[in-house]
Amino acid sequence: MTVDAPDDTRTRILRAALDLFAEHGYQRTSLRQIGERLRLTKAAILYHFPAKEHLLAALVEPLLADLEALLDRAGGLPAERARRVVLEGWVDTMLAHRRPLGMLFHDIALITRGDTYHRLMGIAMRANDLIAGPDAGRRERVRAVQAVAACSDPVVFFTDVPDEVLRADMLDGMHRLLDGVPPSGAGAPADGGASRGRRRPGRPRAMSPEQVETARRMHAEGSHSADEIAAALGVSRATVYRHLDAASAQ
């Protein structure tokens, strides 16, 4: 009989635990159920993970480690470059860890215990500082916190949206938040009122470079209609056609 190496068994336990946590929730999943799925005894599970909390910590560890590595990488860059690296890297990291992130969202109380919570809060605060930039005021810091949420929450709420489409939408939303103009009614316009009477915002007339690339790729695959592409990207069908026509003319 072939015996699994310790690391192989540990990986199998983690994979089964993640599947069961996603199906039933952390609280309603027992070590016995994990063992039964793998045909292992509870003692075999405890050999690798002395308590169920250790399973949770191990499942979250790759996500936290990747975020910390991202922030370490961005920390030595100029402020504007650091902000862009953190924003894009955060989205990519969240998408790479969609399943553990979804598990945390459904059992969010789990991370309020122990070192995991403090570590996660430290990561979020570092990201906020890098996105806001040095000498940021209150408004810039508020927007930085909003941007971090925009880098995470859609991954949980739009589980049926493909990675590439969701990535383009998330980056577009963040850049609109951080680089765009205040929404109507947020305060007096800088031109003293000259902007009154302008077209009210609706579906954007233009797409970000990421959205354009996604639209062209979806169209080239031949499995999405213009209406489906427009709905996925949050723009009008005319906007999609305009960019596709421009691509054809090149």
Side-chain angles (χ1 to χ4, degrees):
M1 178 182 294
T2 301
V3 179
D4 289 333
D7 286 346
D8 291 337
T9 300
R10 187 177 188 276
T11 300
R12 290 174 57 223
I13 293 171
L14 287 173
R15 189 180 299 117
L18 181 57
D19 289 341
L20 288 167
F21 292 164
E23 292 173 19
H24 308 295
Y26 174 85
Q27 300 290 5
R28 293 189 296 276
T29 299
S30 67
L31 293 178
R32 179 183 57 78
Q33 289 173 298
I34 297 172
E36 288 176 350
R37 174 160 293 196
L38 297 172
R39 297 184 180 180
L40 295 173
T41 64
K42 181 178 178 180
I45 305 292
L46 292 173
Y47 174 80
H48 295 278
F49 302 96
K52 193 166 71 166
E53 289 79 5
H54 290 81
L55 278 168
L56 178 66
L59 287 170
V60 177
E61 174 60 31
L63 168 63
L64 299 183
D66 284 352
L67 290 175
E68 288 172 336
L70 167 66
L71 298 178
D72 289 342
R73 186 166 66 253
L77 299 174
E80 186 60 32
R81 175 63 178 160
R83 182 177 80 162
R84 188 168 298 275
V85 166
V86 171
L87 288 172
E88 295 184 3
W90 197 283
V91 169
D92 291 337
T93 302
M94 292 295 115
L95 289 170
H97 297 278
R98 291 184 88 163
R99 292 196 69 206
L101 189 65
M103 176 193 67
L104 283 179
F105 177 80
H106 291 295
D107 284 299
I108 195 67
L110 301 175
I111 63 170
T112 62
R113 301 196 300 263
D115 295 337
T116 300
Y117 173 77
H118 298 290
R119 188 175 169 193
L120 184 58
M121 288 301 100
I123 290 172
M125 291 175 67
R126 287 178 63 193
N128 293 341
D129 289 341
L130 286 168
I131 293 172
D135 304 318
R138 186 199 70 250
R139 180 163 293 180
E140 289 76 18
R141 296 185 66 82
V142 167
R143 288 186 178 180
V145 172
Q146 290 176 304
V148 170
C151 289
S152 308
D153 290 358
V155 175
V156 174
F157 285 97
F158 295 92
T159 56
D160 58 334
V161 178
D163 284 2
E164 61 181 13
V165 176
L166 191 57
R167 182 183 191 275
D169 288 346
M170 291 167 70
L171 290 175
D172 177 71
M174 285 183 298
H175 290 309
R176 289 175 185 275
L177 170 67
L178 295 173
D179 303 327
V181 297
S184 176
D191 58 6
S195 62
R196 292 176 182 173
R198 291 179 182 170
R199 174 182 174 270
R200 295 183 64 184
R203 287 190 169 186
R205 292 180 174 176
M207 294 192 293
S208 67
E210 293 87 356
Q211 287 179 306
V212 172
E213 180 182 352
T214 299
R216 292 174 181 174
R217 183 161 51 249
M218 293 174 70
H219 181 261
E221 291 172 356
S223 57
H224 300 84
S225 68
D227 285 330
E228 290 171 335
I229 297 173
L233 299 178
V235 298
S236 69
R237 182 173 58 180
T239 299
V240 171
Y241 277 129
R242 185 167 66 252
H243 285 87
L244 293 179
D245 289 343
S248 300
Q250 292 176 357

